[in-house]
Every structure is written in C-alpha cells, then in structure tokens.
Amino acid sequence: MAERRTILSGSTFEEQIGYARAVVDGDRVYVSGTTGFDYATMTIAEDVVAQAEQALRNIEAALHEAGCTLADVLRVRYLLPERADFEPCWPVLRRHFGPVRPAATMLVCGLADPRMKIEIEVDARLPARRYSPSLPSSS
C-alpha cells in the first residue's frame, strides 16, 4: 500500500488553518494553493508578477522535497481576484511551464488575504525512478 507523506513549508498559515504545503500519495504529489508569500519573512510583494515568481519558487521547493520538479507537473490551477492580472503573468508561467505543457485552469475568485494577487496549485507525478510502490508481501 502506498504511503502518504506531508510536506510543510514553515508557513504560519499551515498551522493556523490545518493543512500541508504538499501531500505525496504513492506516485502523486498534490501541492496546495500557493501564494507569493516569502515564508522565511512572511512578506509578500505588491506586484502580481513578483508574486507569481515567488509562488513558483515556493512550489518548486515543495516539489523538490517530494522528489520531483516542475517538469513533473500534470495540472496547474491559477486563482486570481482580478482577471486583468493574469496576462502580465504569462511570460513567467510560460518560462516555467511552456516546455511541460500541463493541463491548466484559471479561475477568478477571492483569495484569503487582500494582498494576495495570485494563487497557484499544482498536481504532479513522481518520476518512475523515484517511485517504487511496495509490492504486497506474499503470505
């Protein structure tokens, strides 16, 4: 049976709300909606593009701890309070995901903190070389 493992980033939100930055379940990695907060300082830039860059750095760190990279992302979801803020982020998103071409969705919705201008969530798959499911034991 596949083992479930959680990855924490150190964000105060994880403790306050009760969630993990990412969950590894078998060969799948689910990264929670991630904003542009720098978790070391708990600060956030005002610019949406800078927030997108930081969110992707945060996601990359979680994926790295799980054993994969952005190249292993299968699905990405972008959540923004302002539709007009999405297009300025395209060059950043294309730089990170263009070669990968994951399935993607963009939603316009409210976020938990008015300073947040983008939230990014990804689902990935561990590369086969890093995932070897436990075989059932023979009785």
Side-chain angles (χ1 to χ4, degrees):
M1 183 155 245
E3 189 175 314
R4 183 181 186 274
R5 177 170 60 103
T6 57
I7 295 171
L8 302 176
S9 69
S11 164
T12 57
F13 299 128
E14 294 166 351
E15 182 63 31
Q16 291 170 348
I17 300 169
Y19 72 97
R21 173 63 40 219
V23 174
V24 180
D25 187 21
D27 70 339
R28 298 299 170 143
V29 181
Y30 305 96
V31 180
S32 294
T34 304
T35 63
F37 271 94
D38 177 334
Y39 298 130
T41 62
M42 286 308 291
T43 58
I44 191 166
E46 289 185 28
D47 177 67
V48 68
V49 175
Q51 286 190 25
E53 289 276 14
Q54 182 63 50
L56 289 166
R57 282 192 295 274
N58 295 340
I59 289 167
E60 284 180 302
L63 290 172
H64 177 75
E65 189 171 337
C68 56
T69 69
L70 289 175
D72 301 304
V73 170
L74 303 172
R75 170 170 279 292
V76 60
R77 292 171 196 87
Y78 305 106
L79 307 138
L80 295 96
E82 299 293 330
R83 183 186 56 77
D85 282 344
F86 190 46
E87 191 170 348
C89 295
W90 290 359
V92 170
L93 305 177
R94 183 173 46 251
R95 187 171 70 250
H96 290 281
F97 292 118
V100 180
R101 303 284 178 146
T105 301
M106 186 281 245
L107 298 168
V108 175
C109 61
L111 298 179
D113 183 317
R115 295 173 293 172
M116 299 172 178
K117 296 185 178 186
I118 187 167
E119 185 168 329
I120 304 171
E121 173 186 56
V122 303
D123 300 339
R125 183 175 54 214
L126 290 171
R129 67 187 178 282
R130 295 189 193 121
Y131 171 72
S132 53
S134 302
L135 298 175
S137 59
S138 55
S139 306

